Amino acid sequence: MTGTTPDFDAVVIGAGFSGIYMLKSLRDKLGLKVKVYEAGDTVGGTWYWNRYPGARCDSDAYIYGFTFDKQLLQEWEWSERYPEQPEILRYLEHVAKRHELKRDMQFNTKVIGGEFDEQNNLWTVHTDKGDNVTARFLIAAVGTLSYTNVPKFKGFEKYKGKWYHTSQFPHTGVDFTGKRVGVVGTGATAVQAIPEIAQQAKHLVVFQRTANYCVPARNGKVDPEVTKARKADYDNIVKRIRESFFGQEHYFIPKSALEVSADEREREFEKKWDAGGFAYWLANYQDMFFDQKANDLCADFIKRKIRSTVKDPRVAEKLIPKGYAYGTKRQPLDTNYYETFNKDNVVLVDAKTDGPIEEITENGIRAGGKEYPLDIIVFATGFDAMTGPLKALNLRGRGGRTLDKEWGDGPHTYLGVSVAGFPNFFTITGPQSPSVLSNMPVSIEQHVEWITDLIDNMIRSGKTTIEATPQAQDQWVKHVNEVVNATLMVTANSWYMSANIPGKPKAFLPYLGPEGVGGYRKKCDEVAAKGYEGFNLA
Ligand code: NA7
């Protein structure tokens, strides 16, 4: 230790699921002095910002929450299978209140920079409210899909109507009644929002760049007996999801899609389809992500479903995904998405067949040579995923290095939780950890608990700094890429592959296996058991 006393033991950036639990853990378990900075005016993170119509979680609610608070697991009642944004926000507010977390959180405050002081081994953190504080540990709990992507369309500044990005929706909501509305994008967000907006708008134009494979969510009330049984079994459920591949109770069928009869396959597909949610995506035949032929069979089933739902065969054809394997882009869960295109007030403009968006005009959007007049444009155009929010922190590590420069060709991390040259800095569900390929609360809890143990260990053993070695980091990056290169994931222009943002270096952002979340947890625990192998502790 140096003679300089920092303002805080730890600064945590963000008060979503990650920041909430990180604060709870460091403050109440280790007794540290912690400060959380949050840009929003309350807790919630993703669930604070994403207020578009239809916003709800895509994981089953009974596994979408904190498991550290066993009593709350028993007490909390979700209203439906996939609760809506306001309900999840209420839950997070409740957790913050129950654990008296807000007193250590500063809202409406954005972290705009930070540098590691090599002399004193402290981080100095700067905020847009003029705070300049020092801390021993700096933890980014900034979320993975939090840096908004509004494409720079030609003519944007000329548009006279109102426009919104789904992740920065007005808190008062938007009244679409009687309006001509355009939605740009057909990702998981748009698939939730479009059916809702179509019910209100006079006229809705959907601008599709890439058709998606959507499967039914099958939202609804959960049978009280099922909920009761789950509550009685929570210890086992938690154990199972922690050890599972995706942090979900979904397991691949341990067979090839190619080895079973067409009848058996069809029965399995129907079963998954009827179950709804991620079952079709994450509990399908085990070679679906590896073998193009197996994948084609899974894809074909969805294509047939689209054709049988959408009445106009020309519209159905536009909605049929082409040119990439099923499951390699984030699975959207739909409630009446395909049915919405049967409505008279809904028009689909497909970039490939009708022509791409050329410009935003004073009155609307011009695509494929035709102008679509619009009163409101909703951009459901996603995020600069995973690396975007971290780079935006403007951190300077040893020797003034920046993430912008260090990650010039894609992320370089060790275990997705640490970056060489940035001592005592941790990223919860950072790039190259399972993160977005898992049920987020499971991965968040794993990282928070692992970081807490690490800090505890450092304090107990009188260590001042910890940082990933460049060698361990290089090996991890190599491993992450080797694993994904054996799958079909690399063949898609997905945000997982950084392909959605012009100029973003092509790199796979999360970590996929080979044993998923459970295997990754084991790996992290082994690293810790070997005295933090791959890290320099000083
Ligand atoms: P996504 O999944 O990134 O979807 C964004 C959509 O916007 C997608 O259809 C994109 O087409 C489209 N897009 C992006 N940029 C453009 C431009 N320049 N022109 C036309 N269309 C564009 O974001 P979401 O918010 O739906 O979902 C993000 C995650 O939130 C989701 O995966 C869940 O984890 C929760 P593309 O497919 O790239 O061709």
Side-chain angles (χ1 to χ4, degrees), residues 355-402:
I357 295 177
E358 288 147 6
E359 62 174 334
I360 312 269
T361 64
E362 208 174 295
N363 300 314
I365 293 180
R366 183 187 305 282
K370 185 174 169 190
E371 188 182 35
Y372 297 85
L374 302 165
D375 304 310
I376 301 174
I377 304 177
V378 175
F379 292 96
T381 42
F383 304 89
D384 181 348
M386 304 199 73
T387 49
L390 291 168
K391 285 183 176 181
L393 294 175
N394 292 314
L395 300 181
R396 291 181 177 275
R398 276 195 201 285
R401 70 188 69 196
T402 63

Side-chain angles (χ1 to χ4, degrees), residues 444-462:
I444 287 168
E445 286 198 328
Q446 186 248 332
H447 266 180
V448 167
E449 287 165 13
W450 193 84
I451 293 165
T452 304
D453 285 349
L454 181 155
I455 291 177
D456 188 28
N457 202 287
M458 281 181 69
I459 293 170
R460 282 170 197 279
S461 57

Side-chain angles (χ1 to χ4, degrees), residues 15-17 20 38 42-49 88-89 92-93 107:
F17 263 98
I20 286 176
E38 163 59 52
T42 185
V43 295
T46 285
W47 300 107
Y48 171 86
W49 296 105
I88 304 174
L89 189 56
L92 292 171
E93 287 280 9
F107 298 109

Side-chain angles (χ1 to χ4, degrees), residues 145 151 153 184-189 209-210 329-330 380-383 495:
L145 297 158
F153 290 112
V184 180
T186 52
T189 295
R209 185 164 74 176
T210 311
K329 284 168 86 96
R330 165 61 150 75
T381 42
F383 304 89
W495 60 257

Side-chain angles (χ1 to χ4, degrees), residues 46-47 50 52 56 58 144-145 149-153 165-167 184-192 207-212 278 281 324 329-332 351-352 356-357 379-385 436 440 493-496 499-502:
T46 285
W47 300 107
N50 287 270
Y52 59 86
R56 60 177 73 248
D58 280 342
T144 49
L145 297 158
N149 169 42
V150 181
K152 293 179 181 56
F153 290 112
H165 187 279
T166 46
S167 76
V184 180
T186 52
T189 295
V191 168
Q192 289 185 337
F207 295 88
Q208 170 180 275
R209 185 164 74 176
T210 311
N212 241 316
F278 288 144
W281 189 35
Y324 70 96
K329 284 168 86 96
R330 165 61 150 75
Q331 171 71 73
K352 292 191 181 66
I357 295 177
F379 292 96
T381 42
F383 304 89
D384 181 348
V436 292
M440 290 302 286
N493 283 329
S494 64
W495 60 257
Y496 294 138
N500 62 326
I501 305 287

